[in-house]
């Protein structure tokens, strides 16, 4: 059974950093594009970044460009999201999701999701 588990969330001050991990089990991650999404209270789920199956194609939403970096280690079956210069508006639940086809920023195109990890940016 395909399973994704996010970790690495927490409370951080504005300007701080966190690294989120998305660990896969039950399947080989390198057959899937992986996206990171977030959802703040009262808002729709937002696509942040996506990395292709072999990492050759990466994209970011404008609001996180230059601050967030997605990467993958297929040998460890894990995808990461390094988040720097965090802002209070980055506060949300962060999710990773898998898709067998090419990257997309649309959450409805991803079939497998983790349970999410809370990120809170506050002083």
């Amino acid at each position: 059974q395909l399973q994704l588990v996010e970790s690495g969330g927490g409370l951080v001050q504005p300007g701080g950093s966190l690294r989120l991990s998305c660990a896969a089990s039950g399947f080989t991650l390198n057959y899937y594009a992986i996206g990171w999404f977030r959802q703040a209270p009262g808002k729709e789920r937002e696509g942040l970044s996506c990395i292709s199956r072999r990492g050759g194609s990466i994209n970011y939403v404008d609001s996180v460009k230059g601050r967030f970096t997605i990467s993958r280690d297929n040998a460890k079956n894990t995808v990461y999201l390094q988040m720097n210069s965090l802002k209070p508006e980055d506060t949300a639940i962060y999710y990773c999701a898998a898709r067998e086809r090419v990257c997309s920023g649309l959450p409805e195109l991803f079939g497998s999701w983790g349970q999410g990890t809370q990120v809170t940016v506050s002083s």
Side-chain angles (χ1 to χ4, degrees):
Q1 184 176 356
L2 192 153
Q3 186 175 11
L4 295 167
V5 178
E6 302 94 337
S7 61
L11 174 63
V12 63
Q13 292 188 341
S17 298
L18 286 173
R19 189 177 80 155
L20 306 184
S21 298
C22 172
S25 62
F27 68 104
T28 302
L29 197 63
N30 61 359
Y31 291 130
Y32 294 82
I34 302 296
W36 279 100
F37 299 80
R38 68 185 177 191
Q39 189 165 19
K43 294 188 176 181
E44 293 187 352
R45 193 163 295 190
E46 173 189 24
L48 303 176
S49 182
C50 188
I51 186 167
S52 62
R53 288 176 290 182
R54 292 179 176 80
S57 176
I58 291 174
N59 53 61
Y60 299 96
V61 70
D62 285 347
S63 60
V64 306
K65 277 182 184 176
R67 300 190 299 125
F68 290 10
T69 302
I70 192 171
S71 62
R72 67 190 299 156
D73 186 339
N74 285 341
K76 294 184 178 179
N77 234 24
T78 302
V79 172
Y80 304 97
L81 186 68
Q82 177 67 43
M83 306 187 298
N84 299 329
S85 302
L86 283 162
K87 306 174 182 179
E89 52 262 43
D90 293 318
T91 296
I93 300 175
Y94 284 68
Y95 300 88
C96 64
R99 183 171 192 250
E100 287 188 71
R101 303 187 69 180
V102 298
C103 270
S104 172
L106 300 175
E108 60 266 30
L109 297 183
F110 287 76
S112 300
W113 290 81
Q115 83 291 345
T117 186
Q118 176 70 48
V119 171
T120 303
V121 185
S122 175
S123 55

